[in-house]
Amino acid sequence: MLNLIIVITIQFSGCQAKIKQEAQNSESRPNIILIMSDDMGFSDIGCYGGEIQTPNLDNLAQNGIRFTQFYNGARCCPTRATLLTGLYPHQAGMGWMTGIEAENPAYQGDLNSNCVTLAEVAKTAGYSTFMTGKWHVSKNCNEDGPKHNWPLQRGFDRFYGTINGAGNFYDPATLCRDNTLINPFIDEEYPSEDYYYTDAISDEAARFIKERDKESPFFLYMPYTAAHWPMHAKPEDIKKYDGVYDAGWEEIRKNRIVKMKELGLISSDTELSPLDTYPWTEAKNKDVQAERMEIYAAMIDVMDQGIGRVIETLKGEGIYENTLILFLQDNGGCAEEIGTKGETGSWATTAEELVPLKIDEIEYDVIPRVTREGKAILKGEGVAGGPDTTYVAYGQPWANVSNTPFKEYKHWIHEGGISTPLIAHYPNLIKEANSLNSFPSHIIDIMPTLTELMGANYPEEKDGNKIHPMEGISLVPLFKGEEISRDGAICWEHEMNRAVRLGDWKLVSKGELLDGPYARWTNSKLGEWELYNIAEDRSELNDLADTHPEKLKELATIWDEYAERINVFPNPWTESKKEN
């Protein structure tokens, strides 16, 4: 049976109908594997310039296409909402994050009823649908709460993963199988004496493929939590990177940009953005700082190993050559200093917080204070990470490395916050192996791509609710070596960080900060526009706002129209709602 895996779409109804008809008339359709990692920068994996060992992803790139100007949504929840629905996040109800209470339904923190997911669309074409990994698009994470926006209720046949957005890799918060919350110690279907969440995501994905209905194509969504904080990895994987980062962040950034230019990912005249932290010579606890990056690298390494096991499963099932595999990331490197500062000590502040969990108890805390065995979990400037008794991030300096050569991070809409690798591997369609494509593309393009290749029906209405039309375009011609164009701009908004990309031009604004300990990420007001020619200045170092006022006005008008259309305003960023 011919199997396939995907990408792309065409918004013009006549052409889309013709393609759908051809797909439906074919003897078989592609399998689809959509892999996404968490909180990683543009240059982390080997085939995009990094020193981290990712041989399986590198091999997919060498035999497929690497996109050099593909964009995500700058943050986990908005990116996932867009990737799953093909809409801008506000249209799907995820203008910010889960759990927020706002008057504007664009910020309801839950997938709304005016969108459909990739899994729901795939079901219209007879696909089996599986998911392993991080969901993070449902307001409710509790076993006894409403589950209408959990994976099985949004089109997936089988699910293994976490409902919320982060947690201990050795005992994940809100770990779930299908519709039931579990923990690794009571899960008879995946018994493991050495449990590690990244491995479980990979192993369960391979299992779902083996146990699938062989008569139907399948869609598999694999959103890993790696390499989101906390920095957790096994000793044998960390050891592989012993000493690799002892030279410090400046040296690694310089090495990466050289490799990126050699690979052709950026132009030879691309400049490295200024160092956005203190120099390595002034760093305290250099051994701890270096080890944090070693652990981060190990987390990515383990993910790549798991992807390799999934690939071996495809080969063992005889469907590797006819499967499209896509790999991307949900946002840029994360500058959040979670647990990295201050004196070394416990996250717990009271004795009550050190009460261990029972063996059958569900872990709900994203940042737990105690392990299930009753050991205190540590943080502080002396803690590097690694075992389950630690909980820290890798910090802003290393995030600056991850986003080489760009500036800014997760949350923001400058290139460092939204630039992601996209690897597309599908030998039956992609004939120009190890190729690069610089067409500016966005996660809104994934839904139309998959819908086209599956021969699926994207509905105008579902359960009596009007469904927003897809926002993106098909990338399929690019797989064939053909050219495409986009009729219109790509737009962003997240926490009053905003941008417009039209052709080579990008208008971008960093939200101004308000007061409060977490204000850097949750309380913003509109800032001044900056204008860049991305073709000449991908690192966004030469602001042309003053010299090209007409272009600024043109793009600002586009953004204003976008903001009105998708209900950016009223937004929830007010003093009364800020987090303290």
Side-chain angles (χ1 to χ4, degrees):
M1 180 178 79
L2 176 63
N3 297 295
L4 241 138
I5 290 188
I6 84 208
V7 180
I8 316 187
T9 79
I10 292 183
Q11 287 182 316
F12 308 103
S13 59
C15 188
Q16 187 171 358
K18 179 180 179 182
I19 292 172
K20 187 191 324 183
Q21 184 66 38
E22 291 174 351
Q24 290 172 338
N25 288 341
S26 64
E27 291 183 2
S28 61
R29 289 154 295 154
N31 299 306
I32 300 161
I33 301 181
L34 178 59
I35 305 171
M36 183 166 65
S37 64
D38 199 346
D39 279 16
M40 286 172 54
F42 186 71
S43 67
D44 277 328
I45 62 177
C47 56
Y48 273 80
E51 66 293 322
I52 300 174
Q53 298 175 39
T54 54
N56 293 294
L57 288 172
D58 296 352
N59 183 67
L60 293 176
Q62 290 166 8
N63 293 282
I65 298 175
R66 275 170 292 169
F67 286 72
T68 62
Q69 296 190 68
F70 195 85
Y71 292 119
N72 54 42
R75 191 84 177 276
C76 39
C77 291
T79 290
R80 281 164 174 73
T82 293
L83 187 68
L84 282 166
T85 68
L87 306 174
Y88 285 112
H90 303 73
Q91 294 173 302
M94 200 64 66
W96 189 55
M97 302 283 284
T98 58
I100 191 171
E101 296 293 338
E103 296 178 2
N104 186 344
Y107 300 93
Q108 71 179 38
D110 232 0
L111 290 183
N112 61 33
S113 57
N114 301 114
C115 66
V116 287
T117 69
L118 284 166
E120 290 171 320
V121 170
K123 298 298 286 183
T124 71
Y127 274 67
S128 298
T129 53
F130 313 129
M131 176 182 168
T132 61
K134 171 177 168 177
W135 184 236
H136 209 197
V137 286
S138 173
K139 187 181 299 185
N140 174 62
C141 294
N142 296 318
E143 178 68 32
D144 57 355
K147 299 180 180 179
H148 62 284
N149 268 331
W150 284 24
L152 264 61
Q153 284 65 245
R154 295 308 301 243
F156 288 96
D157 296 326
R158 303 182 71 178
F159 169 62
Y160 177 89
T162 43
I163 301 298
N164 70 6
N168 189 324
F169 279 74
Y170 303 99
D171 190 2
T174 68
L175 184 63
C176 185
R177 182 176 294 284
D178 294 332
N179 268 336
T180 304
L181 292 183
I182 59 173
N183 71 57
F185 310 99
I186 60 173
D187 183 15
E188 296 181 357
E189 293 194 43
Y190 185 76
S192 175
E193 295 181 359
D194 187 23
Y195 184 89
Y196 184 70
Y197 185 36
T198 304
D199 285 336
I201 290 172
S202 305
D203 295 342
E204 288 295 86
R207 175 188 173 195
F208 289 173
I209 293 171
K210 292 177 182 177
E211 295 178 355
R212 76 192 189 283
D213 177 1
K214 305 296 193 296
E215 299 301 315
S216 301
F218 69 85
F219 166 61
L220 169 62
Y221 176 42
M222 293 179 63
Y224 284 94
T225 303
H228 194 292
W229 45 260
M231 297 299 99
H232 279 169
K234 295 171 288 185
E236 61 269 26
D237 296 305
I238 301 171
K239 187 176 180 180
K240 294 172 63 174
Y241 295 92
D242 186 24
V244 171
Y245 299 102
D246 288 355
W249 32 75
E250 292 107 317
E251 190 67 21
I252 303 299
R253 289 182 87 221
K254 291 176 183 177
N255 293 341
R256 286 194 180 189
I257 192 172
V258 169
K259 183 178 177 182
M260 295 173 79
K261 290 179 178 180
E262 292 174 348
L263 292 172
L265 296 164
I266 54 177
S267 63
S268 59
D269 59 354
T270 299
E271 297 182 48
L272 187 62
S273 63
L275 181 69
D276 191 25
T277 186
Y278 48 88
W280 180 252
T281 55
E282 298 179 9
K284 299 178 181 179
N285 300 319
K286 288 185 175 63
D287 56 339
V288 173
Q289 291 280 16
E291 188 177 355
R292 285 176 181 168
M293 189 61 184
E294 293 170 9
I295 297 167
Y296 176 84
M299 295 169 74
I300 296 170
D301 191 311
V302 172
M303 177 185 67
D304 184 81
Q305 294 175 41
I307 292 171
R309 295 196 296 276
V310 172
I311 290 171
E312 288 304 309
T313 299
L314 295 174
K315 291 179 178 178
E317 295 289 304
I319 58 176
Y320 173 70
E321 292 294 327
N322 300 314
T323 294
L324 172 65
I325 302 173
L326 298 178
F327 173 84
L328 72 160
Q329 298 162 183
D330 68 344
N331 44 248
C334 177
E336 297 167 0
E337 298 284 356
I338 305 297
T340 61
K341 305 293 186 182
E343 295 183 4
T344 300
S346 172
W347 274 97
T349 58
T350 66
E352 289 76 12
E353 290 182 309
L354 291 175
V355 176
L357 276 68
K358 299 176 182 177
I359 191 65
D360 59 349
E361 192 172 349
I362 301 301
E363 176 64 84
Y364 283 104
D365 288 339
V366 169
I367 304 180
R369 271 48 178 171
V370 63
T371 68
R372 195 169 291 269
E373 294 78 15
K375 298 177 182 178
I377 295 176
L378 303 178
K379 63 175 180 175
E381 62 184 19
V383 178
D388 64 350
T389 51
T390 66
Y391 203 107
V392 297
Y394 74 155
Q396 179 174 325
W398 292 120
N400 197 202
V401 171
S402 290
N403 294 337
T404 303
F406 309 132
K407 64 182 182 182
E408 299 301 349
Y409 312 93
K410 168 186 176 180
H411 296 270
W412 291 285
I413 317 296
H414 286 77
E415 294 292 283
I418 59 175
S419 296
T420 171
L422 175 66
I423 301 171
H425 179 272
Y426 177 48
N428 281 4
L429 186 61
I430 298 172
K431 302 305 180 183
E432 190 177 351
N434 199 25
S435 60
L436 302 175
N437 192 287
S438 61
F439 180 76
S441 314
H442 187 274
I443 46 178
I444 56 174
D445 299 330
I446 298 297
M447 173 66 87
T449 295
L450 301 188
T451 300
E452 177 186 323
L453 291 179
M454 291 186 293
N457 295 311
Y458 184 90
E460 296 181 358
E461 183 179 292
K462 186 176 187 293
D463 298 330
N465 299 301
K466 183 178 180 180
I467 303 300
H468 295 296
M470 292 182 283
E471 291 283 340
I473 64 172
S474 172
L475 305 178
V476 165
L478 300 182
F479 285 28
K480 299 177 180 179
E482 302 169 357
E483 294 184 358
I484 60 174
S485 61
R486 187 183 300 276
D487 183 17
I490 304 170
C491 298
W492 292 263
E493 190 283 325
H494 182 61
E495 297 173 325
M496 291 296 90
N497 303 304
R498 50 195 176 133
V500 182
R501 176 74 192 266
L502 182 65
D504 290 336
W505 290 95
K506 181 181 176 186
L507 192 67
V508 61
S509 172
K510 186 177 180 179
E512 295 182 10
L513 307 182
L514 300 179
D515 295 329
Y518 203 56
R520 186 179 189 193
W521 296 297
T522 62
N523 297 279
S524 299
K525 59 182 178 180
L526 295 179
E528 295 295 320
W529 283 119
E530 304 166 21
L531 180 67
Y532 300 100
N533 186 310
I534 297 299
E536 300 175 355
D537 180 23
R538 183 81 190 272
S539 299
E540 298 171 309
L541 302 179
N542 183 24
D543 184 2
L544 303 175
D546 291 339
T547 57
H548 291 74
E550 284 125 3
K551 180 59 69 173
L552 187 154
K553 182 178 180 180
E554 175 192 355
L555 297 183
T557 299
I558 291 173
W559 191 88
D560 288 341
E561 293 171 349
Y562 153 86
E564 181 177 0
R565 180 170 68 86
I566 69 165
N567 295 324
V568 169
F569 303 106
N571 67 80
W573 313 121
T574 64
E575 286 285 346
S576 63
K577 294 180 183 292
K578 72 182 180 182
E579 294 185 15
N580 294 308

